[in-house]
């Protein structure tokens, strides 16, 4: 990616962060559900009419450029979960945590299908932290961690070759003599 593209993206990200930081909590509560639903809708649209680049269908062409709907979920999912738990404040039950898990898994599954494992893991982590801070019992968290670790062999078989190579390069950077991985510092 060219330096000017990186600077543009950085500028857009700063502008979005500034706007979001200055919105009132009441406004954030009102826009949480629409942002989440639009994000999920755009992820579904990517499945049907997405632009494929280098084997991944992650973008939608909107005429003046392309957007990556999974980026919307980095903000939309935590907002949606905050709205959901706020509406159930004071009396969380088991079903509330199950529904929150479904709210997380829908966009994560759509992002994994693109395939975009990195963004899917970021969105999953963001949602998981909100659920944890909403009051998820420690024993449930421990059970999910054990289940996650137990599922790693299955997850490994479902990964694409390039994803496995990236994980192995992260674990042992010396296996990447040509510097194709993310861990190599370029000067």
């Amino acid at each position: 990616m060219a330096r000017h593209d990186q600077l543009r993206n950085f500028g857009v990200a700063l502008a979005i962060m500034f706007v979001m930081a200055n919105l009132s909590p009441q406004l954030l509560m009102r826009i949480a559900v629409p942002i989440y639903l639009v994000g999920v809708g755009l992820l579904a649209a990517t499945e049907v009419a997405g632009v494929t680049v280098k084997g991944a269908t992650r973008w939608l062409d909107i005429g003046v450029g392309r957007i990556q709907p999974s980026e919307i979920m980095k903000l939309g999912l935590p907002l949606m979960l905050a709205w959901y738990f706020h509406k159930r404040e004071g009396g969380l039950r088991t079903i509330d945590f199950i529904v929150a898990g479904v709210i997380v898994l829908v966009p994560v599954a759509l992002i994994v299908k693109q395939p975009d494992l990195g963004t899917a893991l970021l969105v999953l982590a963001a949602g998981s932290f909100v659920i944890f801070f909403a009051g998820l019992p420690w024993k449930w968290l421990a059970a999910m961690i054990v289940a996650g670790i137990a599922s790693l062999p299955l997850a490994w078989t479902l990964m694409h070759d390039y994803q496995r190579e990236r994980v192995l390069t992260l674990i042992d950077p010396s296996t990447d003599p040509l510097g194709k991985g993310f861990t190599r510092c370029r000067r």
Side-chain angles (χ1 to χ4, degrees), residues 22-181:
N22 287 293
L23 295 177
S24 72
Q26 295 79 14
L27 178 59
L28 289 173
M29 293 298 276
R30 283 197 309 270
I31 65 173
V33 175
I35 288 175
Y36 176 82
L37 293 176
V38 165
V40 169
L42 291 173
L43 285 171
T46 303
E47 286 294 313
V48 177
V51 176
T52 302
V53 177
K54 295 183 180 179
T57 307
R58 300 178 187 161
W59 297 270
L60 281 177
D61 193 338
I62 57 171
V64 295
R66 294 181 185 157
I67 61 168
Q68 191 172 357
S70 59
E71 294 298 317
I72 295 169
M73 297 315 296
K74 289 179 182 177
L75 292 174
L77 179 64
L79 282 174
M80 176 66 182
L81 288 169
W83 171 86
Y84 179 76
F85 284 120
H86 179 75
K87 294 294 181 188
R88 280 142 190 83
E89 193 173 35
L92 291 176
R93 301 169 304 164
T94 301
I95 189 68
D96 296 321
F97 290 107
I98 293 170
V99 170
V102 171
I103 290 170
V104 171
L105 291 178
V106 168
V108 168
L110 289 168
I111 296 168
V112 165
K113 195 165 178 344
Q114 293 179 350
D116 190 354
L117 184 60
T119 301
L121 290 173
L122 283 172
V123 171
L124 177 65
S128 298
F129 279 115
V130 174
I131 293 171
F132 172 73
F133 289 125
L136 182 71
W138 280 100
K139 61 184 173 186
W140 290 18
L141 179 63
M144 290 189 313
I145 290 171
V146 168
I149 291 169
S151 70
L152 286 176
L154 174 62
W156 185 260
T157 64
L158 297 174
M159 292 171 72
H160 295 274
D161 290 338
Y162 76 91
Q163 291 170 329
R164 284 191 217 115
E165 288 175 23
R166 286 182 180 173
V167 170
L168 292 173
T169 299
L170 182 67
I171 293 169
D172 182 9
S174 67
T175 62
D176 185 28
L178 298 178
K180 293 180 182 177

